[in-house]
Amino acid sequence: MRHAVEVRSATGDDLPGIAALCAEARTESASGAQLCAPDEERLVRHLSVLLALPGGSVLAAVQDGRPVGFVLARVLDPHLFADEPSLYVEAVYVGEDARRRGVGHALLSATAELAAASGASHVYSVPIPGSRGVQRFLARLGFAPVAGHRVVATGVLQRRLAADLVPARRGARSLEDLIARRRRARTEGLSGPVDLREFQAEYHRRPAS
């Protein structure tokens, strides 16, 4: 017999189970490498860091003594682009064997309570890439699109930037060559043929020796 799901702030003992769920979420996502590390021990360390951050929170949905879902969130204070606090949900996930049993709803209820207690005016969430079920679930609860993230591998970005600089350098060099040619043309035009008439007149005025 399954017991009811309890949602609470995660403790250190919960982190290995949540790390295992993170690894499971990674395998479901088409962008798993951008979601989390593959090493569960490293994931436990990352989760510990989140718990230690100001405003950091890990909510665990626990059933039969083990985590079956989680929410990773941070309360963000007012900053350059926001006048009020907000709650940023970095990830929400329910294990495959615990879905369609109200676990996600319970997690988001606890998330809403956390936002209200923190004075957050809005709750932002980034659905796991490729998880249409989570996107539909969030949309049903009122989450609307705000902005889209774009991602590029660091090496690709560096190569594209380097490629963009090559035409620019060639263009700059071509412009410099054009300016130099025009300067030479003006200088050559000013020098022109030598006028010998004044020299000849001076020569004829001289007395014969």
Side-chain angles (χ1 to χ4, degrees), residues 14 18 23 25 75 77 84-85 87 119 124 150 155 167 174 180 203:
D14 296 322
I18 295 174
V75 176
D77 291 330
E84 300 175 335
L87 183 69
Y124 294 84
R150 290 181 175 270
S174 298
Y203 176 77

Side-chain angles (χ1 to χ4, degrees), residues 86-145:
S86 58
L87 183 69
Y88 185 82
V89 176
E90 297 188 16
V92 53
Y93 183 76
V94 176
E96 186 176 4
D97 59 352
R99 294 173 188 171
R100 297 179 180 83
R101 294 181 183 144
V103 177
H105 196 280
L107 281 167
L108 266 294
S109 294
T111 301
E113 292 176 5
L114 175 62
S118 305
S121 57
H122 291 84
V123 177
Y124 294 84
S125 179
V126 181
I128 294 175
S131 179
R132 295 182 179 179
V134 174
Q135 294 180 22
R136 288 193 296 266
F137 172 66
L138 293 176
R140 189 167 68 250
L141 294 177
F143 285 82

Side-chain angles (χ1 to χ4, degrees), residues 27-186:
T27 62
E28 289 188 14
S29 174
S31 304
Q34 300 155 20
L35 180 62
C36 65
D39 183 354
E40 292 186 19
E41 290 186 6
R42 192 191 308 176
L43 286 172
V44 170
R45 293 196 298 271
H46 291 176
L47 293 168
S48 300
V49 170
L50 176 59
L51 282 175
L53 288 174
S57 181
V58 178
L59 299 177
V62 180
Q63 188 175 51
D64 295 331
R66 67 181 183 90
V68 294
F70 64 84
V71 166
L72 309 182
R74 282 192 67 189
V75 176
L76 302 180
D77 291 330
H79 52 86
L80 181 62
F81 301 108
D83 297 328
E84 300 175 335
S86 58
L87 183 69
Y88 185 82
V89 176
E90 297 188 16
V92 53
Y93 183 76
V94 176
E96 186 176 4
D97 59 352
R99 294 173 188 171
R100 297 179 180 83
R101 294 181 183 144
V103 177
H105 196 280
L107 281 167
L108 266 294
S109 294
T111 301
E113 292 176 5
L114 175 62
S118 305
S121 57
H122 291 84
V123 177
Y124 294 84
S125 179
V126 181
I128 294 175
S131 179
R132 295 182 179 179
V134 174
Q135 294 180 22
R136 288 193 296 266
F137 172 66
L138 293 176
R140 189 167 68 250
L141 294 177
F143 285 82
V146 175
H149 290 273
R150 290 181 175 270
V151 64
V152 62
T154 303
V156 172
L157 177 60
Q158 291 174 327
R159 288 194 297 273
R160 295 291 178 86
L161 289 170
D164 281 351
L165 286 176
V166 172
R169 288 172 180 165
R170 288 176 178 171
R173 184 61 186 171
S174 298
L175 180 59
E176 292 173 1
D177 291 343
L178 176 61
I179 293 173
R181 286 197 300 271
R182 289 181 175 177
R183 285 175 179 170
R184 286 197 300 271
R186 286 198 299 268

